[in-house]
Amino acid sequence: MAMTRTAGEAVAKVAYLSSHVILSIQPALTIDSEFSRHLQGYSDIQLPGLVAEKGPEIIPLRHNVDPLLSAFQPLRSGKLVAVTTSSSVLLSSIPHLYKLAQYPIVLHVSLQASPNPDYSTITAIRQSGFVFLQSETLQESQDLALTAHALAIKSGKGVLHFFDPANSRDDSPIQTEDRDLVRDVLGLDSVRAIRVAFSDRTSLYVDDGRRATIAADHSSVSEESQSEDIVAHDASSRTLLEKNSSGGGSSVGSSVRESSADSRPTVSSATSVESSTIRAVTSDDVYEFVAAIWTKISRITGRSYQAFEYTGPENAESALFIFGSTGMFVDELGAAKSSDEFAKCGLITARLYRPWNGPQLAESLPASVKRIAVLEQIRRKTTKWGPLLLDVLTSLRMGSSASGSPLVVGHQLGYIEPATVHQALRGIFQNLNSDEPLQNLEVGSREGPREPPNQYDLAQPKVESAYMKILDQVFGERLYLANRLDAANVGLSATLAASPEYGFGSLLARSDHRSRFISEAKHAAATNDFATDVPRSWLSKWALNAEDDKLANTIAPEVISRLSNDGSRLASTLLESKSLFFKESQWLIGSDAWAYDLGNSGVHHVLASGANVNMLVIDSQPWSERAVADAARRKKDIGLYAMNFGNAYVASVAVYSSYTQVLEAMIEADRFNGPSVVLAYLPYNKEDDSPLTVLQETKKAVDLGYWPLYRWNPDNEENSEPNFSLDSERIKQELEEFLRRDNHLTQLMNRHPTFAANLSESYGTEVRALQKRKAKDAYDSMLESLYGAPMTILFASDNGNAESMAKRLGNRGKARGLKTMVMAMDDYPLEDLPTEENIILITSTAGQGEFPQNGRTFWDAIKDTTELDLSQTRYAVFALGDSHYWPRKEDKHYYNKPGKDLDARIAFLGGQKLTDVGLGDDQDPDSYQTGYAEWEPKLWQALGVDKVEGLPEEPPPITNEDIKIQSNFLRGTIAEGLADTSTGAISASDQQLTKFHGTYMQDDRDLRDERKAQGLEPAYAFMIRCRLNGGVASPSQWLQMDSISSSYGNETMKLTTRQTFQFHGVVKSKLKSAMRGINKALMTTIAACGDVNRNIMVSPLPTKSAFHRDVHHVSATISDHLLPSTTAYHEIWLKDNDSDEKQTKVAGDAVIDKEPLYGPTYLPRKFKITIAVPPHNDTDVYAHDIGLIAIKDADGKRLEGFNVLVGGGMGVTHNNKKTYPRTGSMLGYFPASQIHLVCEKIMLVQRDHGDRQNRKHARLKYTIDDMGVDIFRSKVEELLGAKFEDPRPFEFKSNIDTFGWQKDEFGMNHFLMFIENGRVEDTAEFPMKTGLREIAKVHKGDFRLTPNQHLCLSGVPDDELDTVKEMLKKYKLDNLHFSALRLSSSACVAFPTCGLAMAESERYLPELITKLEGCIEENGLRQDSIVMRMTGCPNGCARPWLAEVAFVGKAYGAYNMYLGGGYHGQRLNKLYRSSIMEEDILGIMKPLLKRYALERQDGERFGDFVIRIGMIKPTKEGKTFHDEVAEEESG
């Protein structure tokens, strides 16, 4: 039998079994309450509930976000709601409690702060209309929790069950409540009646006029709701209620007031019985319900309960009535000696505190009791007499027991140390038995322990520090945060001092103080009380400019200096407040809790005051469907509210969307003379969420218009500028459409707040449904004119394969005489499915065996329905998947799971199978086509169209080679696509061609699913890659790149592993402008991508500037020589269509270009060249199609020639052993003067002999392996007319960057700085982009990008060294205090922009390294370089196959792990583990790093070590990459 050990656990279990929804209120989402850990545990194991069969919905809520507001929506939907909380939320929730008391809700309240909780929180809300139950022991907490839920169901009223957890802390474990007992006591039939009674109710009014009501015979539970139809019957309805709501004689004292609250006049109508039989629930009804529930519990368990529990002798003359923590008193009374004053004392506690049953209290007392000591544990005393004292006095001095009633003496119970309980009881009874006992005698310490155990420390959530850091960056010493958490405020609790309300008051006081100080300064300047006249003039100057932040803060130090030198008494007096000479930037920090009650919030007070106060209101609510759907909980729009005041600056910002806009808003808010409200979005589910999670949530909210970025500045009118600026570029058009729609719906939504969410949400849904219906009807209409059997083909496809297959099948069906219709599953009206004669379903597989996005709605609808009769429908299913894809071996059942599930579900619904489900497997020789080729003939045979003759010949699919040859030398229809404003995309063929121009079309994958769900096209944008020979840029070019990234991109730059700039997030309308901006910087993007020679890489070589110049000159020669000749780039991107310049057509009758080197089809695949300078292999010379190893002359100072490597390449396809990475093969040595011709001839051999049929086999590495190195060399030599010499000796010692300051042979200084994964951006912690921009404005040398994604500031003369160092320090760019593992790491972009990514890379690798650095430190490896690389897919952009340890994305969150690469970049690694998660990675790496630290040999590198100890076999050449792996790649 399961045992329960704490009251929190007991209550949580009962609530879980007895509720549809549980609001779990916690101090923070990362900090468990005493209930939440248990609730989550039950949910994790999918424990069935009794009320909710699959378990209740558990909604975690922070205590400071008006949590009880979230109860209304589920309650009004007919659901039973429970709340688990500490008492800290009750007082602030009083406005809700009066309404919630009329609903069947249960609040389980743990009194805080234990072990000395304040019961005044309970007494303060005793008249709210709730029923109050109190438990003390562990068993009572379990039974009374059950009582609370049963009572809520039976009465329809709210029940509040409260307890002090310290009372039962030492109780022995009890048996967990039996499910059968819970079911019996709850009465599940009543639960169903409640749901029926609630679910159809609608009303226009805030509280619905609802009262808990009951049928006169108690046979059913009803509800009353106000409606416009009954307003005329107000008087009669009131009379009816008044007649039926008398409480009888049992409610006396304070209970009279409470019962009247239950029966106050209201307009009502019954919903389930005749109105004449309906009356309000009274106190008597509650007593009867409670008695019945306790009788049932007693009958089953033997445990009895009464409204008032008396324990002690039957002849006791004295009794204690305790409203507080009773545990220690019970123990002490039980151990009392006969000589003790309290030896024959009784103890009274209230189990049912409200409604108060006075007569039962009198009945529960022995007639012998003459004196009663009432102990109230109330710290915040607001009345002379305690509430319980008044209850007891009223009960015992009214009615039949009034004569001869006991003497009642009130006491205030504070904290009592366990050792002093005996002494405290003696004091109580001495006072009670005295001739004139003192009323309100205090017993114990009022405050209790200063630091109660397990109390939650008030702290700012970690993620919210971003905005605080930006404020610090912008305003520095001028910043004053009125409610800073760490501020010292004498006499105030940290919670109060950190509240926005306190902060606003302190700001007003501070402003008044400064105003007085300015007046005092003006007065002082007019006196002669200074020792000299110097301070007077400076004071006058300061006083005139005291409100101008720039001038005041400039003058202030001078004034302070003069006053300090003066020495007079007046000077000393002014210096006592010298901080007031500075004009501060004053800020108040608030939270989104303000958005629920604007009238009572700090926002209203600040705006109404007109004070010059800046508010930063941080909204942490993630964008979610549940929040949108909860109409009762929809936040008010603080921004709109503030703008309507007309006197305030308003901005809506999001640091994870636009850092620049945050800076602009904060600066503008500070300059605005009046109230400023900056709404700052920072969504998180838990306070310790990773920045990646916050980023993804922010992007969804901003992109979908949930959180628009804007600024509203009333001062702009004076400058004839618009007040409103919308800064979220992507949603401008969509927001305008939303506003137009909002105008039509606003009045309806205001009149029907409950419907508001449904109206706004269903608008798009209805449009989508209408679109589905019109599309289907149009298809049906068209097919009516055709002959043959109908065949409907539905597809679900993410990457296009299933869609292409469905369309091809549809065309083939038409050719066979069938009437075919093809559409996405989600576009199909499901209600038509039973009418289909033949339906074919084709689906690919996404995620963990999930449906693709455009099939999920279809599947969600069909998987749970039992209403579709498909007995007249014939069907077939084909599924596409990868049998080796799954992250774990035990997940192999995910292979083609959507197709298998569809097949089973359609069969279950009665569908007649045409043929067995077809399974396409990417592992088959022809991928999924192998299985399809077997499945399709069986389908035609089942349909009776397999013998059709004269079928037309299908055109072959269009290949990349077709696209290139038809493009007219890379023109295609790019110009027309750019001019098309109906979409953010371009055509598929143009997407291939734009790569040659240096740009890829992508979409934001963080937003893909959400935009699909909203019926929007993907968030298309373009990546632009520059062609930057050797990675060298001038300061002016750096500034231009910085400007382009901010003006046209996503405000970041990527320094790539190909040593160039890359921009992301450039929307189509800005693409041409960005290209022109790059051209103005004397740079280009032509041939940065595509099937041509791409950007040429060169070692940065900061210590050998002359040699670097030689090598760089050769690279420029090669680059220019191999550049494509087409003029299409200039025509499309650079010509001004509005100028008089003669235009060249870009399609149709275009002027035909010539490509002397490439020809019209260019190369079979991309072509990469790199140059390394020994001993540094920092360009990974072995990984490229051509690798040139620079050889110095005899003097070792200048360039002589190159060793030539060919056939390197990184691209691989998972599980396809025909693809593999390869290191370059040595051809020999060639002089530098002819090396550009060598590169040309190698490229020409590849052009003519590379595989143009299979792009996965088209790289030079496969050409060489197919041909053999010797034959390939001979073909190159034949074209050259010369032979390669034997390679010259060389040695590589490293392939990582050398960080820090270095001097070259000319005395110039170079600083190589760490840019993690090449991402140049501003963050709250690190203003990197701003710092590099400021340095570029003064720097006169070069910026050298490194192939490892870092940056070298080159050519700093000694006389500028100090200035540059200061700037580097100011912007934290000089920080190299990182672990060698981090400094040696590299990652590709991957999510969210790369369309090929299977897993995170750039955004995840830093987190993984952080989790390994503790182990690194422990084992003394902080300074030991280990080359670690990560990519999101196997295409190898970060060259992972050469790393000592690499992680290559396999699925989201899953990676293949590779070990054994050469530290010098000379050896490939090999697969160690397949498809492992973070937990597995850490489990492997931590012990391995420890072993490396202990067992390595002198100078042994990590990659060599894992081979020596036998963990992995060495990879000797690319063709053996898949041989002898430690684990076969699979699921």
Side-chain angles (χ1 to χ4, degrees), residues 1485-1499:
M1485 285 300 299
K1486 288 182 176 181
L1488 181 55
L1489 288 168
K1490 182 175 182 179
R1491 187 176 179 188
Y1492 173 58
L1494 295 173
E1495 300 179 20
R1496 60 178 169 169
Q1497 298 174 353
D1498 289 344

Side-chain angles (χ1 to χ4, degrees), residues 76 201-209 226-228 231 751 753-754:
R76 289 169 178 166
R201 185 203 52 73
T202 61
S203 171
L204 303 181
Y205 296 91
V206 174
D207 68 353
D208 309 313
Q226 195 172 22
S227 73
E228 295 172 301
V231 173
R751 289 188 63 209
T754 305

Side-chain angles (χ1 to χ4, degrees), residues 894-1083:
Y894 291 132
Y895 166 58
N896 274 325
K897 186 175 186 294
K900 295 174 182 175
D901 288 348
L902 262 179
D903 181 63
R905 188 64 189 171
I906 299 294
F908 175 80
L909 294 171
Q912 306 300 310
K913 191 176 296 190
L914 287 164
T915 184
D916 289 338
V917 59
L919 302 179
D921 189 352
D922 281 351
Q923 298 306 308
D924 287 340
D926 293 323
S927 188
Y928 58 84
Q929 298 289 358
T930 302
Y932 183 77
E934 299 174 358
W935 175 83
E936 185 183 317
K938 296 177 182 177
L939 174 65
W940 301 138
Q941 184 177 9
L943 291 169
V945 292
D946 55 321
K947 306 295 185 182
V948 177
E949 297 180 358
L951 292 174
E953 193 170 316
E954 291 185 358
I958 297 177
T959 66
N960 281 66
E961 297 302 308
D962 297 326
I963 293 172
K964 286 185 285 186
I965 201 167
Q966 295 169 14
S967 72
N968 192 12
F969 294 90
L970 308 182
R971 288 171 173 81
T973 57
I974 296 174
E976 292 87 343
L978 294 174
D980 180 4
T981 59
S982 66
T983 176
I986 56 176
S987 69
S989 59
D990 286 341
Q991 289 175 40
Q992 298 300 319
L993 296 176
T994 53
K995 295 178 182 179
F996 292 79
H997 296 258
T999 181
Y1000 279 73
M1001 192 186 87
Q1002 302 175 327
D1003 76 289
D1004 193 324
R1005 296 177 66 182
D1006 285 343
L1007 306 174
R1008 186 182 286 176
D1009 288 353
E1010 296 297 342
R1011 289 182 68 88
K1012 175 68 178 177
Q1014 298 293 317
L1016 302 172
E1017 73 174 9
Y1020 291 120
F1022 289 78
M1023 177 273 283
I1024 301 176
R1025 183 181 298 153
C1026 293
R1027 186 179 181 90
L1028 185 66
N1029 181 57
V1032 178
S1034 67
S1036 63
Q1037 288 175 323
W1038 182 277
L1039 289 172
Q1040 182 72 354
M1041 297 302 102
D1042 178 275
S1043 175
I1044 290 169
S1045 68
S1046 297
S1047 301
Y1048 306 120
N1050 64 358
E1051 301 185 12
T1052 74
M1053 291 190 293
K1054 175 76 171 179
L1055 310 184
T1056 76
T1057 53
R1058 290 218 57 77
Q1059 211 173 7
T1060 188
F1061 296 103
Q1062 198 161 284
F1063 307 106
H1064 293 272
V1066 183
V1067 295
K1068 187 170 75 171
S1069 61
K1070 294 185 175 182
L1071 190 56
K1072 183 176 286 190
S1073 298
M1075 292 291 207
R1076 290 181 175 184
I1078 293 170
N1079 183 257
K1080 287 179 182 178
L1082 304 180
M1083 295 167 62

Side-chain angles (χ1 to χ4, degrees), residues 517-530 532-544 559 563 570 574:
F517 182 75
I518 294 172
S519 298
E520 293 169 3
K522 290 179 179 178
H523 177 74
T527 68
N528 294 316
D529 294 341
F530 291 107
T532 66
D533 288 337
V534 175
R536 293 175 58 193
S537 61
W538 279 99
L539 269 178
S540 298
K541 185 178 180 182
W542 175 82
L544 289 173
V559 178
L563 291 173
L570 180 56
L574 291 171

Side-chain angles (χ1 to χ4, degrees), residues 4-16 33-39 42 84-85 108-110 135 137-138 141-142 145 161 163-166 168-169 174:
T4 298
R5 290 170 171 76
T6 67
E9 181 183 3
V11 169
K13 182 63 174 291
V14 173
Y16 187 92
S33 68
E34 55 195 300
F35 311 99
S36 59
R37 179 170 58 86
H38 304 293
L39 290 172
Y42 303 143
T84 58
T85 180
H108 295 290
V109 178
S110 171
S135 61
T137 68
L138 180 56
S141 67
Q142 183 167 274
H161 166 226
F163 61 94
D164 174 9
S168 59
R169 190 164 292 152
I174 62 172

